[in-house]
Amino acid sequence: MKIDALHMREVNMPLAHPFETSFGVTTTRRILLIEIEAAGISAWGECVAGEHPYFSDEMVDTAWHITETELAPRLLNADVEKGSDCPALFEQVRGHRMAKAAIENAVWDLDAQLQSVPLAKLLGGTRDIIPCGVSIGIQPTLVKQLEKVETEVSAGYQRIKLKCKPGWDEKVFEAVRARWPDILLSCDANSAYRLSDADRISTWDRFNLLMIEQPLWYDDFYFHAGLQKKLKTSICLDECIRNRRDAQAALELGSGRIINIKVGRVGGFTEAIAVHDVAQQHGVPVWCGGMLETGIGRAHNIALSSLPNFSLPGDVSASKRYWAEDIIEPEVTVSAKGEIVVPTASGRGFQVKRDRIDSITVRRHTCTPHH
Ligand SMILES: [Mg+2]
């Protein structure tokens, strides 16, 4: 397929509610969107890098630079047939996986539209519906935290995940468990703990958590293996899994028993599927994490979550939890049973609201092939 143009846009979208993790508070999302045009069709990708390099070493501005100077030229001057051609095309560029994923995922979307198949099917998806959980940010007070949990449990979400950090952990788990002894509950530390916390973390087995997500360093899975040996509760790995080799090494070491797959973190759908497959071969379930995506990234997460080993509820939830108005229609909705229906239309299955995107675009740039 010949790509006629790659459009880069930065949109600024205020979150409906501020989102706090162990590394800070987000109130507005700056997001790089990629649109590629080919054969009269328009396809989209979303770069999940944040405003600051706090979750990973990527950020919107590095992704913008690498896309413009390195990735877009490679795409536009190559002959790609499908999304899975992209990793080889981008291999010379080390890292920058979120930037790479935005483009690769747009190519998958394009391919699905050209073949008139749902993106989920093209990825190898087998589920018609996906189970949904929510990730609840750190709240200003315990009362507010319990109100948030109440809201999400009432909305039907199948798994509640609490963001935690030292000083905002045991008292919260205690209070939530006292009120909801039986819900599927987990926590996510985003690397806020150190080995000196291991004995204390091992006492969290009493909260019967489904998992403790990435408690130690963001780039570690060696010391996580030692911590996992002390725990009955499963460790879930997020930040430290960058590719299929990391997944294989971590599972062979026993660093965790669950993997959170974020398509941006691993560099695109091709690698996400490979990580999914490695986990499946080890009998380890995966689920799809969230990065405060707009509807475009959310649609891609829904498609990915339809793969067979996504057997735990993910963090893919309704548009309205994040945005007053999303940039797709219909917006993503979750049923009272905490499920999202996987679209059956061709491509990503949600229409892009171009007027809405135009109204929040703060910079744009178009890359075209050299002639
Ligand atoms: Mg996480």
Side-chain angles (χ1 to χ4, degrees), residues 127-134 156-159 184 286-288 301-302 305-317 334-335 337-342:
R127 296 171 189 275
D128 301 326
I129 52 164
I130 60 167
C132 306
V134 284
Y157 284 103
Q158 298 183 17
R159 184 269 283 142
L184 215 48
V286 302
W287 54 275
C288 183
N301 285 343
I302 293 169
S305 301
S306 72
L307 269 68
N309 195 35
F310 281 83
S311 52
L312 293 173
D315 280 345
V316 185
S317 47
V334 172
S335 76
K337 281 158 58 183
E339 295 171 338
I340 293 175
V341 176
V342 179

Side-chain angles (χ1 to χ4, degrees), residues 55 161 163 188 190 213-214 238-239 260 262 287:
F55 173 85
K161 173 170 117 180
K163 291 288 188 180
D188 185 1
N190 290 109
E213 195 175 335
Q214 198 78 31
D238 175 357
E239 282 89 333
N260 165 351
K262 289 177 175 161
W287 54 275

Side-chain angles (χ1 to χ4, degrees), residues 99-117:
K100 291 173 179 174
I103 297 180
E104 183 189 319
N105 297 351
V107 176
W108 280 88
D109 178 12
L110 177 68
D111 189 17
Q113 291 184 60
L114 287 169
Q115 295 189 45
S116 295
V117 296

Side-chain angles (χ1 to χ4, degrees), residues 278-308:
V278 165
Q280 193 165 34
Q281 285 151 18
H282 285 77
V284 162
V286 302
W287 54 275
C288 183
M291 292 288 286
L292 307 177
E293 287 93 345
T294 73
I296 291 170
R298 204 163 290 273
H300 287 173
N301 285 343
I302 293 169
L304 182 66
S305 301
S306 72
L307 269 68

Side-chain angles (χ1 to χ4, degrees), residues 211-230:
M211 61 195 153
I212 299 171
E213 195 175 335
Q214 198 78 31
L216 303 176
W217 300 270
Y218 75 94
D219 56 355
D220 168 78
F221 47 76
Y222 177 81
F223 292 104
H224 278 87
L227 179 60
Q228 178 66 88
K229 286 189 184 73
K230 286 177 175 272

Side-chain angles (χ1 to χ4, degrees), residues 182-204:
D182 301 321
I183 58 170
L184 215 48
L185 185 69
S186 69
C187 70
D188 185 1
N190 290 109
S191 308
Y193 297 91
R194 294 295 171 258
L195 289 179
S196 53
D197 299 307
D199 287 339
R200 195 162 67 82
I201 292 174
S202 69
T203 69
W204 298 357

